[in-house]
């Protein structure tokens, strides 16, 4: 049972007690507390649900597209700015800790590089000499060692400070940053397009319903206090 229901039940119980005891002050306190709690509960409810006859209710589902646009604008203008991207790239160790090229290099097929080398040798002045020792087949045992050595060399180059500095400088170019931001914006927009009005309502509802529940509680409390003052003044 949530705070709103408990507050409304307590206020209604005070009204009943005041009526049974024929105590106008107690009943007035209960009525004011109940009115404050119910109106605040209705206000919270109207944020998420359309209430027939009440203009402005169901504001979150009704403004669904505006909410999506606002979320996209917030993310692009507050998180993925040129300054934030540049700050990330310029952080000490940022490139090293976030970009690991080893898995990419390990998957690269370097067999065409060896084939190109063999073809170059075959077409060079050493081609005739190579034919005397069995032709290109004589070089095949060198294929796997060549590929392993090439991968090791590329990894050494890719892990050097000079390589990372050059890579960072290239990424920080204005046209590269603009392209990066455009791609990020495309991803954000695509993800937001997958949202439905019901899902947005549930997300927002889950985040703020607990806190808005206190509006109902305090509506009942202050309504009761006003009712107490009103009851005392009547007597």
């Amino acid at each position: 049972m949530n705070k709103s229901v408990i507050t409304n039940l307590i206020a209604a119980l005070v009204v009943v007690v005041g009526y049974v005891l024929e105590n106008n002050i107690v009943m007035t306190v209960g009525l004011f507390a109940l009115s404050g709690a119910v109106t605040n509960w209705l206000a919270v409810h109207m944020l998420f649900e359309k209430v027939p006859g009440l203009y402005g209710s169901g504001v979150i589902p009704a403004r669904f597209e505006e909410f999506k646009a606002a979320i996209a604008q917030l993310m692009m203008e507050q998180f993925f700015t040129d300054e934030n991207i540049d700050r990330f790239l310029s952080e000490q160790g940022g490139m090293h800790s976030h970009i690991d090229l080893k898995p990419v290099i390990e998957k690269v097929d370097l067999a065409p590089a060896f084939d190109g080398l063999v073809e170059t040798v075959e077409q060079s002045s050493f081609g005739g000499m190579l034919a005397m020792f069995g032709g290109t087949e004589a070089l095949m045992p060198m294929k796997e060692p060549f590929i392993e050595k090439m991968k090791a060399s590329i990894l050494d180059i890719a892990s050097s400070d000079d390589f990372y500095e050059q890579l960072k400088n290239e990424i920080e170019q204005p046209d590269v940053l603009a392209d990066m931001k455009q791609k990020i914006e495309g991803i954000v927009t695509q993800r937001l397009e997958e949202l439905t009005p019901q899902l947005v309502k549930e997300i927002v509802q889950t985040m703020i319903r607990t806190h808005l529940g206190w509006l109902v509680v305090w509506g009942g409390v202050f309504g009761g206090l006003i009712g107490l003052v009103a009851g005392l003044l009547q007597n």
Side-chain angles (χ1 to χ4, degrees):
M1 189 175 294
N2 59 40
K3 295 186 287 291
S4 300
V5 175
I6 294 175
T7 303
N8 285 318
L9 287 178
I10 292 175
L13 181 61
V14 173
V15 173
V16 173
V17 171
Y19 177 78
V20 172
L21 298 178
E22 297 183 352
N23 189 314
N24 288 333
I25 294 179
V26 174
M27 190 165 67
T28 302
V29 169
L31 285 173
F32 275 73
L34 185 61
S35 65
V38 169
T39 52
N40 281 6
W41 168 82
L42 183 60
V44 173
H45 181 76
M46 286 171 59
L47 282 175
F48 306 102
E49 305 293 342
K50 182 70 176 177
V51 179
L54 295 182
Y55 176 77
S57 60
V59 62
I60 290 178
R63 303 288 184 177
F64 170 62
E65 293 299 330
E66 294 180 24
F67 272 101
K68 286 203 306 183
I71 293 172
Q73 183 178 4
L74 173 67
M75 295 186 69
M76 296 309 301
E77 293 185 357
Q78 299 297 324
F79 294 98
F80 298 109
T81 62
D82 291 344
E83 293 77 10
N84 287 341
I85 295 175
D86 184 67
R87 187 183 303 115
F88 163 74
L89 295 175
S90 300
E91 287 178 354
Q92 185 176 0
M95 294 292 293
H96 290 75
S97 60
H98 288 83
I99 300 180
D100 183 11
L101 297 176
K102 184 176 180 179
V104 178
I105 296 173
E106 290 292 345
K107 294 178 181 179
V108 173
D109 183 14
L110 293 177
F114 178 79
D115 295 338
L117 175 64
V118 171
E119 184 178 353
T120 300
V121 173
E122 189 178 21
Q123 294 175 358
S124 70
S125 57
F126 292 95
M129 186 182 298
L130 181 63
M132 295 173 58
F133 294 95
T136 56
E137 292 298 324
L139 299 177
M140 287 301 106
M142 299 172 55
K143 185 172 184 177
E144 290 303 322
F146 171 84
I147 291 175
E148 293 300 322
K149 187 66 176 178
M150 282 292 295
K151 285 186 177 180
S153 299
I154 294 173
L155 281 172
D156 287 341
I157 295 172
S159 60
S160 67
D161 292 337
D162 182 62
F163 174 83
Y164 278 106
E165 186 64 28
Q166 292 184 33
L167 179 61
K168 183 171 76 70
N169 291 337
E170 287 299 319
I171 292 178
E172 289 179 337
Q173 295 298 318
D175 54 338
V176 176
L177 282 176
D179 183 61
M180 185 183 298
K181 283 187 64 177
Q182 186 176 4
K183 290 179 179 178
I184 293 173
E185 187 172 4
I187 295 172
V188 171
T189 302
Q190 181 181 357
R191 293 296 298 164
L192 288 175
E193 287 299 326
E194 297 174 5
L195 296 178
T196 63
Q198 180 63 27
L199 183 57
V200 171
K201 186 184 78 171
E202 291 174 0
I203 292 173
V204 179
Q205 200 171 32
T206 301
M207 288 191 298
I208 67 177
R209 182 176 287 278
T210 300
H211 303 287
L212 289 181
W214 285 106
L215 290 177
V216 179
V217 174
W218 290 114
V221 171
F222 287 113
L225 291 175
I226 295 172
L228 176 60
V229 173
L232 292 174
L233 291 176
Q234 287 178 354
N235 292 333

